[in-house]
Amino acid sequence: MGAGVTAGGGGGGVKPPKHERDLGVATEERKKTKRPDRYKVLLHNDDYTPMDFVVGILVQVFGKSPAAATQIMLQVHRAGMGVAGVYVREIAETKVATVHRLAEERGYPLRSGVEKE
Ligand code: TYC
């Protein structure tokens, strides 16, 4: 209650500087409320992983519709790489680990990785 608490805490606000020396100084409050960086999860083409397996991964791991999953799979097949989804870093890295685990379980060489947006 009260003393020292700024209104709108969590909303991302920055207090106006109390002293001229603080103009232009990034405050801790701003750092803490910055939205997290986002990471693309990339799928790479290979000559051995079946198309329907890749479509299944895109549906089950990345929540794509079957139609969208087919388009992404074909993009990867033709261009060599494509974006399966965009997430904060920890979620993106977990998706990559899941792709690699599911592919390895079936003996497929499917590769995935993250790239900062
Ligand atoms: N090129 C594979 C094939 O012809 C299909 C494929 C698509 C593999 C996308 C990997 O990320 C991939 N069976």
Side-chain angles (χ1 to χ4, degrees), residues 43-51 54 72-74 76-77 80 110-111:
L43 281 183
H44 298 275
N45 190 37
D46 67 73
D47 292 338
Y48 304 102
T49 305
M51 290 182 173
V54 178
I72 294 167
M73 181 281 294
L74 287 173
V76 176
H77 177 70
L110 179 63
R111 300 310 295 170

PDB file of all heavy atoms in Angstrom, residues 43-51 54 72-74 76-77 80 110-111, ligand 1:
ATOM      1  N   LEU A  43      12.765 -25.775 -39.909  1.00  0.00           N
ATOM      2  CA  LEU A  43      12.875 -27.178 -40.330  1.00  0.00           C
ATOM      3  C   LEU A  43      13.772 -27.206 -41.561  1.00  0.00           C
ATOM      4  O   LEU A  43      13.660 -26.346 -42.444  1.00  0.00           O
ATOM      5  CB  LEU A  43      11.508 -27.742 -40.708  1.00  0.00           C
ATOM      6  CG  LEU A  43      10.565 -28.173 -39.591  1.00  0.00           C
ATOM      7  CD1 LEU A  43       9.310 -28.775 -40.208  1.00  0.00           C
ATOM      8  CD2 LEU A  43      11.233 -29.162 -38.634  1.00  0.00           C
ATOM      9  N   HIS A  44      14.649 -28.206 -41.618  1.00  0.00           N
ATOM     10  CA  HIS A  44      15.563 -28.348 -42.753  1.00  0.00           C
ATOM     11  C   HIS A  44      15.152 -29.548 -43.599  1.00  0.00           C
ATOM     12  O   HIS A  44      14.731 -30.584 -43.063  1.00  0.00           O
ATOM     13  CB  HIS A  44      16.995 -28.536 -42.248  1.00  0.00           C
ATOM     14  CG  HIS A  44      17.490 -27.353 -41.464  1.00  0.00           C
ATOM     15  ND1 HIS A  44      18.054 -26.241 -42.058  1.00  0.00           N
ATOM     16  CD2 HIS A  44      17.459 -27.087 -40.139  1.00  0.00           C
ATOM     17  CE1 HIS A  44      18.375 -25.355 -41.126  1.00  0.00           C
ATOM     18  NE2 HIS A  44      18.023 -25.839 -39.947  1.00  0.00           N
ATOM     19  N   ASN A  45      15.332 -29.424 -44.893  1.00  0.00           N
ATOM     20  CA  ASN A  45      15.021 -30.532 -45.787  1.00  0.00           C
ATOM     21  C   ASN A  45      16.088 -31.626 -45.678  1.00  0.00           C
ATOM     22  O   ASN A  45      17.231 -31.371 -45.275  1.00  0.00           O
ATOM     23  CB  ASN A  45      14.954 -30.050 -47.237  1.00  0.00           C
ATOM     24  CG  ASN A  45      14.397 -31.117 -48.151  1.00  0.00           C
ATOM     25  OD1 ASN A  45      13.501 -31.866 -47.780  1.00  0.00           O
ATOM     26  ND2 ASN A  45      14.928 -31.203 -49.363  1.00  0.00           N
ATOM     27  N   ASP A  46      15.686 -32.842 -45.999  1.00  0.00           N
ATOM     28  CA  ASP A  46      16.628 -33.951 -46.187  1.00  0.00           C
ATOM     29  C   ASP A  46      15.999 -34.897 -47.193  1.00  0.00           C
ATOM     30  O   ASP A  46      14.849 -34.704 -47.604  1.00  0.00           O
ATOM     31  CB  ASP A  46      16.925 -34.655 -44.845  1.00  0.00           C
ATOM     32  CG  ASP A  46      15.689 -35.365 -44.301  1.00  0.00           C
ATOM     33  OD1 ASP A  46      15.302 -36.417 -44.861  1.00  0.00           O
ATOM     34  OD2 ASP A  46      15.103 -34.875 -43.318  1.00  0.00           O
ATOM     35  N   ASP A  47      16.753 -35.892 -47.623  1.00  0.00           N
ATOM     36  CA  ASP A  47      16.272 -36.777 -48.699  1.00  0.00           C
ATOM     37  C   ASP A  47      15.539 -38.016 -48.176  1.00  0.00           C
ATOM     38  O   ASP A  47      15.074 -38.825 -48.985  1.00  0.00           O
ATOM     39  CB  ASP A  47      17.456 -37.242 -49.560  1.00  0.00           C
ATOM     40  CG  ASP A  47      18.061 -36.100 -50.362  1.00  0.00           C
ATOM     41  OD1 ASP A  47      17.355 -35.086 -50.598  1.00  0.00           O
ATOM     42  OD2 ASP A  47      19.237 -36.224 -50.756  1.00  0.00           O
ATOM     43  N   TYR A  48      15.439 -38.185 -46.866  1.00  0.00           N
ATOM     44  CA  TYR A  48      14.961 -39.465 -46.320  1.00  0.00           C
ATOM     45  C   TYR A  48      13.700 -39.390 -45.466  1.00  0.00           C
ATOM     46  O   TYR A  48      12.940 -40.369 -45.401  1.00  0.00           O
ATOM     47  CB  TYR A  48      16.083 -40.108 -45.487  1.00  0.00           C
ATOM     48  CG  TYR A  48      17.348 -40.276 -46.278  1.00  0.00           C
ATOM     49  CD1 TYR A  48      18.422 -39.405 -46.128  1.00  0.00           C
ATOM     50  CD2 TYR A  48      17.464 -41.305 -47.227  1.00  0.00           C
ATOM     51  CE1 TYR A  48      19.587 -39.541 -46.869  1.00  0.00           C
ATOM     52  CE2 TYR A  48      18.628 -41.451 -47.980  1.00  0.00           C
ATOM     53  CZ  TYR A  48      19.676 -40.566 -47.800  1.00  0.00           C
ATOM     54  OH  TYR A  48      20.818 -40.695 -48.553  1.00  0.00           O
ATOM     55  N   THR A  49      13.476 -38.270 -44.787  1.00  0.00           N
ATOM     56  CA  THR A  49      12.294 -38.183 -43.919  1.00  0.00           C
ATOM     57  C   THR A  49      11.038 -38.131 -44.787  1.00  0.00           C
ATOM     58  O   THR A  49      10.937 -37.296 -45.691  1.00  0.00           O
ATOM     59  CB  THR A  49      12.362 -36.923 -43.030  1.00  0.00           C
ATOM     60  OG1 THR A  49      13.586 -36.942 -42.300  1.00  0.00           O
ATOM     61  CG2 THR A  49      11.187 -36.888 -42.059  1.00  0.00           C
ATOM     62  N   PRO A  50      10.059 -39.025 -44.544  1.00  0.00           N
ATOM     63  CA  PRO A  50       8.854 -39.033 -45.368  1.00  0.00           C
ATOM     64  C   PRO A  50       8.037 -37.747 -45.203  1.00  0.00           C
ATOM     65  O   PRO A  50       7.960 -37.174 -44.118  1.00  0.00           O
ATOM     66  CB  PRO A  50       8.058 -40.229 -44.838  1.00  0.00           C
ATOM     67  CG  PRO A  50       9.074 -41.098 -44.164  1.00  0.00           C
ATOM     68  CD  PRO A  50      10.086 -40.155 -43.584  1.00  0.00           C
ATOM     69  N   MET A  51       7.422 -37.332 -46.323  1.00  0.00           N
ATOM     70  CA  MET A  51       6.605 -36.112 -46.300  1.00  0.00           C
ATOM     71  C   MET A  51       5.488 -36.192 -45.267  1.00  0.00           C
ATOM     72  O   MET A  51       5.217 -35.208 -44.559  1.00  0.00           O
ATOM     73  CB  MET A  51       6.017 -35.857 -47.689  1.00  0.00           C
ATOM     74  CG  MET A  51       7.061 -35.429 -48.713  1.00  0.00           C
ATOM     75  SD  MET A  51       6.282 -35.080 -50.299  1.00  0.00           S
ATOM     76  CE  MET A  51       7.683 -34.411 -51.206  1.00  0.00           C
ATOM     77  N   VAL A  54       6.677 -35.425 -41.732  1.00  0.00           N
ATOM     78  CA  VAL A  54       6.920 -33.992 -41.507  1.00  0.00           C
ATOM     79  C   VAL A  54       5.591 -33.262 -41.306  1.00  0.00           C
ATOM     80  O   VAL A  54       5.456 -32.421 -40.403  1.00  0.00           O
ATOM     81  CB  VAL A  54       7.722 -33.370 -42.666  1.00  0.00           C
ATOM     82  CG1 VAL A  54       7.915 -31.869 -42.445  1.00  0.00           C
ATOM     83  CG2 VAL A  54       9.079 -34.064 -42.814  1.00  0.00           C
ATOM     84  N   ILE A  72       3.794 -25.835 -45.517  1.00  0.00           N
ATOM     85  CA  ILE A  72       5.110 -25.605 -44.902  1.00  0.00           C
ATOM     86  C   ILE A  72       6.067 -26.734 -45.286  1.00  0.00           C
ATOM     87  O   ILE A  72       7.233 -26.492 -45.636  1.00  0.00           O
ATOM     88  CB  ILE A  72       4.977 -25.482 -43.369  1.00  0.00           C
ATOM     89  CG1 ILE A  72       4.184 -24.221 -43.007  1.00  0.00           C
ATOM     90  CG2 ILE A  72       6.364 -25.455 -42.708  1.00  0.00           C
ATOM     91  CD1 ILE A  72       3.735 -24.157 -41.550  1.00  0.00           C
ATOM     92  N   MET A  73       5.578 -27.984 -45.235  1.00  0.00           N
ATOM     93  CA  MET A  73       6.424 -29.120 -45.611  1.00  0.00           C
ATOM     94  C   MET A  73       6.917 -28.976 -47.052  1.00  0.00           C
ATOM     95  O   MET A  73       8.104 -29.218 -47.346  1.00  0.00           O
ATOM     96  CB  MET A  73       5.634 -30.429 -45.415  1.00  0.00           C
ATOM     97  CG  MET A  73       6.411 -31.688 -45.750  1.00  0.00           C
ATOM     98  SD  MET A  73       6.523 -32.055 -47.516  1.00  0.00           S
ATOM     99  CE  MET A  73       4.797 -32.399 -47.885  1.00  0.00           C
ATOM    100  N   LEU A  74       6.000 -28.571 -47.962  1.00  0.00           N
ATOM    101  CA  LEU A  74       6.392 -28.421 -49.375  1.00  0.00           C
ATOM    102  C   LEU A  74       7.385 -27.273 -49.552  1.00  0.00           C
ATOM    103  O   LEU A  74       8.310 -27.356 -50.374  1.00  0.00           O
ATOM    104  CB  LEU A  74       5.152 -28.201 -50.245  1.00  0.00           C
ATOM    105  CG  LEU A  74       4.288 -29.451 -50.444  1.00  0.00           C
ATOM    106  CD1 LEU A  74       2.989 -29.103 -51.162  1.00  0.00           C
ATOM    107  CD2 LEU A  74       5.052 -30.546 -51.214  1.00  0.00           C
ATOM    108  N   VAL A  76       9.615 -26.377 -47.354  1.00  0.00           N
ATOM    109  CA  VAL A  76      10.905 -26.907 -46.895  1.00  0.00           C
ATOM    110  C   VAL A  76      11.492 -27.846 -47.954  1.00  0.00           C
ATOM    111  O   VAL A  76      12.686 -27.771 -48.277  1.00  0.00           O
ATOM    112  CB  VAL A  76      10.741 -27.646 -45.548  1.00  0.00           C
ATOM    113  CG1 VAL A  76      12.054 -28.284 -45.117  1.00  0.00           C
ATOM    114  CG2 VAL A  76      10.232 -26.686 -44.473  1.00  0.00           C
ATOM    115  N   HIS A  77      10.642 -28.699 -48.489  1.00  0.00           N
ATOM    116  CA  HIS A  77      11.078 -29.667 -49.507  1.00  0.00           C
ATOM    117  C   HIS A  77      11.670 -28.960 -50.728  1.00  0.00           C
ATOM    118  O   HIS A  77      12.690 -29.384 -51.281  1.00  0.00           O
ATOM    119  CB  HIS A  77       9.875 -30.524 -49.908  1.00  0.00           C
ATOM    120  CG  HIS A  77      10.154 -31.513 -51.001  1.00  0.00           C
ATOM    121  ND1 HIS A  77      10.947 -32.624 -50.813  1.00  0.00           N
ATOM    122  CD2 HIS A  77       9.736 -31.553 -52.295  1.00  0.00           C
ATOM    123  CE1 HIS A  77      11.008 -33.314 -51.952  1.00  0.00           C
ATOM    124  NE2 HIS A  77      10.285 -32.689 -52.864  1.00  0.00           N
ATOM    125  N   GLY A  80      14.481 -25.922 -49.160  1.00  0.00           N
ATOM    126  CA  GLY A  80      15.566 -26.402 -48.291  1.00  0.00           C
ATOM    127  C   GLY A  80      15.371 -26.081 -46.832  1.00  0.00           C
ATOM    128  O   GLY A  80      16.021 -26.684 -45.972  1.00  0.00           O
ATOM    129  N   LEU A 110      15.592 -35.979 -39.838  1.00  0.00           N
ATOM    130  CA  LEU A 110      14.992 -34.638 -39.819  1.00  0.00           C
ATOM    131  C   LEU A 110      15.710 -33.735 -38.824  1.00  0.00           C
ATOM    132  O   LEU A 110      15.898 -34.097 -37.665  1.00  0.00           O
ATOM    133  CB  LEU A 110      13.510 -34.753 -39.444  1.00  0.00           C
ATOM    134  CG  LEU A 110      12.719 -33.438 -39.362  1.00  0.00           C
ATOM    135  CD1 LEU A 110      12.675 -32.742 -40.708  1.00  0.00           C
ATOM    136  CD2 LEU A 110      11.306 -33.719 -38.855  1.00  0.00           C
ATOM    137  N   ARG A 111      16.094 -32.538 -39.303  1.00  0.00           N
ATOM    138  CA  ARG A 111      16.793 -31.565 -38.447  1.00  0.00           C
ATOM    139  C   ARG A 111      15.980 -30.291 -38.299  1.00  0.00           C
ATOM    140  O   ARG A 111      15.264 -29.863 -39.218  1.00  0.00           O
ATOM    141  CB  ARG A 111      18.182 -31.210 -39.014  1.00  0.00           C
ATOM    142  CG  ARG A 111      19.125 -32.374 -39.145  1.00  0.00           C
ATOM    143  CD  ARG A 111      19.250 -33.211 -37.912  1.00  0.00           C
ATOM    144  NE  ARG A 111      19.839 -32.523 -36.771  1.00  0.00           N
ATOM    145  CZ  ARG A 111      19.865 -33.027 -35.538  1.00  0.00           C
ATOM    146  NH1 ARG A 111      19.316 -34.221 -35.279  1.00  0.00           N
ATOM    147  NH2 ARG A 111      20.427 -32.346 -34.564  1.00  0.00           N
TER     148      ARG A 111
HETATM  149  N1  TYC B   1      12.480 -34.157 -48.895  1.00  0.00           N
HETATM  150  C1  TYC B   1      11.692 -35.147 -48.179  1.00  0.00           C
HETATM  151  C2  TYC B   1      11.178 -36.199 -49.154  1.00  0.00           C
HETATM  152  O1  TYC B   1      11.200 -35.987 -50.343  1.00  0.00           O
HETATM  153  C3  TYC B   1      10.511 -34.510 -47.461  1.00  0.00           C
HETATM  154  C4  TYC B   1      10.919 -33.553 -46.398  1.00  0.00           C
HETATM  155  C5  TYC B   1      10.242 -32.343 -46.250  1.00  0.00           C
HETATM  156  C6  TYC B   1      11.909 -33.857 -45.482  1.00  0.00           C
HETATM  157  C7  TYC B   1      10.577 -31.446 -45.242  1.00  0.00           C
HETATM  158  C8  TYC B   1      12.269 -32.977 -44.449  1.00  0.00           C
HETATM  159  O2  TYC B   1      11.900 -30.901 -43.311  1.00  0.00           O
HETATM  160  C9  TYC B   1      11.588 -31.785 -44.352  1.00  0.00           C
HETATM  161  N2  TYC B   1      10.682 -37.313 -48.622  1.00  0.00           N
END
